[in-house]
Amino acid sequence: MDTAAVVIAVTGVAGTLGAALLTQRGAERAKRRELELGQAYQETRENLALRRDCYTRLYRDARQFATALNRHLHVLRDRTPGESDVRALDEAKDAHRNHWSETLMIAPDAVIAPGDTANQALTRVYGTIKRLEQGNAQPGESLQSATEAQDELWGLIKVMRHAMRQDLGVSGEF
């Protein structure tokens, strides 16, 4: 066999092996990219589920806190609150506070801003009610002013809910 034939044979074998190697590497890259995309999709789904669960708890607890504040105002009008009344209000406040803290760690600013407004209003009404309960009302604080502030909570909670729904990609109002 002459040298030219050997070179052609070696080149042919190298070309065949090289093509197989390139095909294998291309397939590996495609598989790796497919796995990365699948992982990114799964992470996106998990993040959405985490936010949805967090928002659901926060919304529920904000409503329950506002309801507990309303209930406590009615108790203050009718009688001196008992231990169970005080405990119910504090448990609602604590549940809301815990889920608000969780939301602060995972929600975008578009949700945090209206959530913070609602949280501050809930906390202000709670403070007013506790001062009224203890007979330490500040100037201008009364059952009437606390009731009016408590009534305004629902609109703030609705704005917070709207921001959460927007973040989750849920369209429309209901």
Side-chain angles (χ1 to χ4, degrees), residues 18-37:
L21 183 61
L22 288 175
T23 301
Q24 180 182 354
R25 285 190 177 167
E28 287 173 358
R29 268 193 304 258
K31 183 67 173 174
R32 186 173 34 250
R33 182 69 180 139
E34 182 181 328
L35 289 172
E36 288 170 355
L37 287 173

Side-chain angles (χ1 to χ4, degrees), residues 2 78 93 154:
D2 68 354
D78 298 339
K93 175 189 63 87
W154 299 108

